[in-house]
Amino acid sequence: MAELDTSGGGKHKGGKIRSKKSSTRVDLTAMVDLAFLLITFFMYTTTLQKPKAMNLAMPDNSVKTTQLAVAASRTMTIVLGGHNKIEWYMGEPGKTAPTVDNFGANNIRKAIIDNAKQVAATHSGDEAAMEVVIHPSDKSTYENLVAILDEMSITNIKIYAIVKILPMEVDDLKKNNNY
């Protein structure tokens, strides 16, 4: 039978002299500790992204309530159409032609601010606040509704409502190629 010599070498005459190989052992405890310290440091020092949410309370449609009378002169109606277009008018539907507008600071936001200033100048007391009625159409997107709700927050409009669109407003949207 063959025998395997596992000795370190150097003891036998005539053989090659070999150095004894010792096993290497690396202690990784310090490196693991450092890694966890770095992870916890970066977790504590970075700011986590806060969720962006807006509170929206929708009424129960099954309960019938009486409507409050609001002066038409302090009501702005915004109709959300297709193709990121907006139509808005002051007062009652059908009495004034709607203005076609876009989203943005120089468009609908400027119109909301100007109309709010005009309502505040012509009314006094509790009636100095403008009320906005938002009518999303079937062709408008959820992004458009969120954008107009953001405009309500930016322009500091306190009273606004999301209401079903009227057939007359759908006809106006179709007439202006915004449906």
Side-chain angles (χ1 to χ4, degrees), residues 54-61 76-80 131-137 140-142 144-150 152 158-166 169:
M54 180 181 288
N55 292 332
L56 181 64
M58 297 295 287
D60 186 12
N61 288 337
M76 178 179 184
T77 303
I78 299 174
V79 182
L80 304 177
E131 298 184 15
V132 177
V133 181
I134 302 167
H135 293 269
S137 69
S140 65
T141 62
Y142 181 73
N144 291 344
L145 181 62
V146 170
I148 204 68
L149 290 176
D150 286 342
M152 297 297 114
K158 299 292 183 194
I159 304 170
Y160 56 91
I162 302 171
V163 183
K164 291 181 183 175
I165 192 166
L166 300 173
E169 293 168 337

Side-chain angles (χ1 to χ4, degrees), residues 48-141:
L48 299 176
Q49 183 178 8
K50 294 181 174 124
K52 297 176 183 175
M54 180 181 288
N55 292 332
L56 181 64
M58 297 295 287
D60 186 12
N61 288 337
S62 64
V63 177
K64 298 294 180 188
T65 59
T66 59
Q67 294 182 356
L68 299 174
V70 178
S73 61
R74 54 180 262 223
T75 304
M76 178 179 184
T77 303
I78 299 174
V79 182
L80 304 177
H83 314 295
N84 297 326
K85 294 289 184 180
I86 301 172
E87 291 185 3
W88 64 268
Y89 58 88
M90 291 295 292
E92 297 178 27
K95 293 196 175 180
T96 58
T99 304
V100 179
D101 218 339
N102 293 319
F103 290 95
N106 294 328
N107 298 311
I108 189 65
R109 187 180 306 163
K110 184 176 184 310
I112 293 170
I113 292 171
D114 291 344
N115 288 330
K117 286 180 183 177
Q118 183 180 2
V119 167
T122 57
H123 294 79
S124 63
D126 291 339
E127 293 188 3
M130 182 175 74
E131 298 184 15
V132 177
V133 181
I134 302 167
H135 293 269
S137 69
D138 294 337
K139 303 296 181 182
S140 65
T141 62

